[in-house]
Amino acid sequence: MPRSRRTSPLDQGSCNIGKLIFTILIGIAGGAAIAASPAPLLQSIWWTADGAETDAATTKASTCLAFDPQDADRVKAGMALFNTPSLLGGQAAKAGLNCNSCHDNGRDNRHFYVEGLSSTPGTADVTSSFFSILRGNAVKDPVVIPDLANPGKISRAADDQILERFIRTLIVEEFSGKEPNQSTLSALATYVRAIRKCDGAQIIDRRLDDQLQLVDAAIGGALAMHRSGENATALILVRAARHQLGLIDERYSAPRFKAERSALLDSSRQLQDIAEAQNADLFNPALTLWHEQFTANLVPRLRAGERHSLYTRKKFRAAWKQVPKPGL
Ligand code: HEC
């Protein structure tokens, strides 16, 4: 008997799998209600087709980036923003969904599946009222998620701003997000323009380095944005870094990592304090110091434990086997 598909977790904190199964009612236009259970083991499992969990959790699309060196900071910031749910609004953000969920590493995502949004794995209906009451149409029209390394319907030219306008519409209208500022849009568009296929393997292993690179990109981007007075975007980027720390935490859920997880939590709280501090002059020195300490103290410990973490296929598969599957 096929097991029922998972729907939406309430938030990242509810990923305490198998233990908490509850139902939430999501009020959306038309009064539709969706039964939800938290995502097991990893948040990203929520939007994965049944049976593809191990592949989705341990492999990803490979991506190479091509850009003018003068755009390096903006590409970094855009990559971090592309991976942060707080850019989107409503149910999408609550579920941890971000641009990267559908466009894995900027490409497509053949494992993406959400009941009611997808017809087959790899498709999504981005006009669904699940995500937005503004655009929601009653018609179910999932389409294949495009690989952003390919030229598509939307112009990628740097001088016409069509991509910026498209991304704004996506955030505000499709995903009920807050109006993004110009520097956020420009960073996202600069990153999307840089996405290319790599030569060689198109599917590669997920690693701790994926998250560490995104932390570095978010912090580097935040420092650059702050230097040029784009403070609102700098704050979103600090949140983007904290989101990545949360994703590392999920992978280090084994009891042996108790100390690392508590250090991750402390690091995340320190970032929150830096973001909330009133004295703007302290932002860059405090963030730089945080980054140095994180890199010197916590990163080596995380690297040393990676082979015991859920980044490895063997550990993930074993942990996934233990998760009670509803309907079985
Ligand atoms: C729920 C899955 C989903 C999420 C989340 C998502 N997209 Fe997409 N995206 C799609 C689908 C499906 C299409 C194709 C829509 C169509 O053809 O009508 C698309 C199209 C696009 C395109 C146009 C590609 C072309 O044809 O030229 C760009 C650019 C893009 N998305 C960027 C983003 C960015 C940036 C974000 C985050 C703000 C994002 N997407 C979030 C599913 C998603």
Side-chain angles (χ1 to χ4, degrees), residues 10 39 64 68 80 85 124 142 165 221 243 276 296 328:
L10 268 183
C64 290
D68 188 324
R165 283 209 296 277
H243 179 65
E276 286 173 358
L328 276 183

Side-chain angles (χ1 to χ4, degrees), residues 98-99 102-103 124 126 143 146 148 152-154 156 166 170 175:
N98 51 77
C99 311
C102 289
H103 304 285
V126 287
V143 295
L148 301 184
K153 296 183 202 165
I154 307 299
R156 307 291 156 84
F166 174 80
L170 257 184
F175 297 109

Side-chain angles (χ1 to χ4, degrees), residues 309-324:
S309 76
L310 297 182
Y311 280 104
T312 71
R313 196 172 175 90
K314 205 171 135 205
K315 294 282 179 199
F316 180 84
R317 213 200 319 244
W320 179 245
K321 268 199 193 131
Q322 303 298 317
V323 174

